[in-house]
Amino acid sequence: MRQTFDETTDRSFGPRHVPLIREAMAQQGLDGFLVPHEDEHQNEYLPAANDRLAWATGFTGSAGAAVILRDKAAVFVDGRYTLQVRDQVDAQLFEIRDLVEGGVPAYLETATARGQRIGYDPRLHSPDALARLKEAAAKTGAALVAVNDNPLDRAWGQARPAQPTAPVVPHPAEFSGEDSNAKRARVGKAVAARGGDAAVLTAPSTIAWLFNVRGGDVIRSPLPLGQAILNKDGAARLFLDPAKVTPDLRGWLGNQVRLETPDDLPAALAELKGQSVVVDPAQSSAWYFDTLAEAGATVIRAEDPCALPRACKNAVEIQGSRNAHIRDGAALTRFLHWVATEGQVNPPDEITAVTKLESFREATGALKDLSFDTIAGAASNGAIVHYRPTERLNKRAETGSLLLIDSGAQYLDGTTDVTRTVAIGEPAAEMRQRFTLVLKGHLALAGIRFPAGTTGSALDILARHALWMHGLDYDHGTGHGVGSYLGVHEGPQRIAKAPNAVALRPGMILSNEPGYYKEGGYGIRIENLQVVTEAAQIPGGERPMLGFETLTLAPIDRRLIDRDLLSADERAQLDAYHAKVRDVIGPLVEPEVRSWLLDVTAAI
């Protein structure tokens, strides 16, 4: 099994580890310390060695923060984790606060006092976030102090896991669609156009994409941890731990790429004295900005020049994603058939569901890894948005309940992410109504046409409209970008309430995943991946339009649909989607699965 069901933290982590952190703080004359979730690479998903927030608090979510003061502490999470944090964190030690509404700055404005020194590790904070924190602390007369010796790391000591050293391997052109020389030349011109002589690149996904390599340093993502300096002429210096360098890597990188170690990075940054250097404040920590400024370089604050080219997939990557989703759709359809047959007679527990789905994906012979730990929420656990089953929390599905399965896979030709909610036994009328409202939003977003320049935030309302009209909503984004055998969460594009200045462009892959969650009851989410395409000309239309091609192919549980809540157009749209699922996936599965698929994809 790739997914395990052990718990890596518990509620005792805070009471055991916070005193050690406070002792290390005192040794450095600090009155407090900031603990972000992000690591030195601003990762969302972390190697065990960099999961500092989890070690300090017990909280394992993919977004959060903590502030540890001498006499009090707080942990901050967003709406996805309000239930999870209560289960994992000792609320007598930590005040639990909202990460978005007020967040850490608001806490610093009330919890700190004049003369206090609050430490932070400059390698872990983006400069913009750090500026807001400094401003907030200054209001009380406290000061934020950069530390070279992280007190949390000192407290962790010998128990801290080793840094990952997974081999870095070539990712051939049959999957990437463009060689690294061409990418570096193209991005180098973009750096020059912004007035830069060079760019400092720190995002693992950028390193993987630009040099056409893949690694395994980040859980569930084929990413190498490293840094690079790209010159405007396309030449580059790549900084990797020597333990990761495979025998054929130097030849793969070519003569224009100089391979060095992370220990060489400070000196390399110092060599940029007098040059203009592009650095992304959202991807690179404050340490890079401070180091370059001290070296005498001129820093140009700009988006990672690889972010947009990476997001706009080329024809090879798009076709690879289609192929990956067909393969994955057949595996998922086999799983849904199992749930609809054996799973109705003997409802599975969450761990059984996860292992069964993984076995179907493994049977493809092409699975490289999961794209994230499968979320399998039975009944009330389905209302925990980012729930992960463990031996302690494992729940068996019951007749009359819902089972939510959010899962994905990593294949050499593409990354998948799909959610299906299925009924175990006969669903209640409220479940069917809520599911249909979520489906209406999903269909609206899948079928929209929009002009160039439209952002994801402009489309978000489509997925929520039906829910809002019934006084309902969900506390997560509607769509995130997805990489090409890279991270399952990829920017800069997204679909969410929060404003986003990045317009959707052809080749971008995003999720479409509205949901509804009834605390203590059940959870509903319907998720497909879709790629932005140039839409067919609309008769009588005056402007060219973009649209979405749905990539995910798997049946949606019709037993949960209240047909009367769907318009004729919505019913036709759902029927067309199911017809494609039937036509593409049907020939790939066994006769008994195919027969079932014909039934569950029949016209509604």
Side-chain angles (χ1 to χ4, degrees), residues 3 14 25 52 92 145 219 271 338 359 460 545-546 593:
Q3 183 164 335
M25 285 164 38
R52 295 176 175 89
Q92 292 186 333
V145 180
I219 186 170
E271 292 174 20
W338 172 79
S359 71
D460 182 77
M545 291 284 157
L546 302 177
V593 180

Side-chain angles (χ1 to χ4, degrees), residues 27-41:
Q27 292 171 358
Q28 298 183 48
L30 299 175
D31 300 292
F33 189 67
L34 306 180
V35 185
H37 171 269
E38 292 77 19
D39 67 356
E40 291 85 340
H41 301 270

Side-chain angles (χ1 to χ4, degrees), residues 107-380:
Y107 182 76
L108 292 177
E109 289 179 14
T110 58
T112 59
R114 179 171 299 278
Q116 286 188 329
R117 301 173 74 248
I118 311 300
Y120 69 91
D121 187 336
R123 291 178 179 268
L124 307 181
H125 297 266
S126 72
D128 290 347
L130 196 57
R132 291 191 293 271
L133 295 173
K134 288 181 177 180
E135 181 181 353
K139 291 181 179 180
T140 68
L144 262 58
V145 180
V147 296
N148 293 322
D149 184 11
N150 186 315
L152 189 153
D153 293 351
R154 179 189 291 186
W156 205 344
Q158 296 296 318
R160 184 182 180 189
Q163 288 291 332
T165 55
V168 178
V169 299
H171 189 59
E174 65 179 291
F175 302 118
S176 69
E178 182 181 14
D179 69 32
S180 178
N181 287 335
K183 288 181 179 179
R184 286 186 281 104
R186 179 157 61 101
V187 176
K189 290 179 181 178
V191 171
R194 294 174 185 176
D197 299 301
V200 173
L201 308 173
T202 63
S205 54
T206 283
I207 301 299
W209 177 84
L210 183 63
F211 296 99
N212 282 345
V213 296
R214 297 296 186 268
D217 291 336
V218 180
I219 186 170
R220 306 296 179 226
S221 303
L223 299 176
L225 298 185
Q227 302 86 10
I229 298 174
L230 175 69
N231 296 328
K232 62 183 179 181
D233 64 0
R237 302 170 74 171
L238 176 60
F239 303 88
L240 294 175
D241 186 326
K244 303 176 187 179
V245 177
T246 51
D248 56 349
L249 186 61
R250 292 182 186 276
W252 174 257
L253 294 172
N255 295 331
Q256 275 200 311
V257 179
R258 181 173 161 186
L259 196 57
E260 302 179 60
T261 76
D263 290 340
D264 300 320
L265 180 60
L269 295 177
E271 292 174 20
L272 296 174
K273 178 180 180 179
Q275 298 189 43
S276 297
V277 184
V278 173
V279 192
D280 186 346
Q283 296 286 350
S284 300
S285 71
W287 179 84
Y288 291 93
F289 290 80
D290 295 343
T291 302
L292 287 166
E294 290 170 5
T298 299
V299 176
I300 300 174
R301 297 164 64 96
E303 183 181 76
D304 180 337
C306 296
L308 196 57
R310 183 181 70 240
C312 298
K313 310 295 183 288
N314 60 46
V316 170
E317 291 172 316
I318 293 171
Q319 187 57 50
S321 186
R322 292 189 185 106
N323 296 341
H325 278 87
I326 292 171
R327 181 188 311 118
D328 200 61
L332 182 59
T333 297
R334 292 185 178 99
F335 168 77
L336 293 173
H337 168 259
W338 172 79
V339 174
T341 52
E342 294 181 41
Q344 299 294 321
V345 177
N346 182 26
D349 60 32
E350 294 162 344
I351 290 178
T352 299
V354 170
T355 56
K356 194 71 175 179
L357 177 53
E358 185 175 318
S359 71
F360 284 122
R361 285 192 166 113
E362 198 72 66
T364 65
L367 182 68
K368 303 298 290 184
D369 199 353
L370 307 178
S371 57
F372 56 95
D373 279 346
T374 298
I375 298 167
S380 60

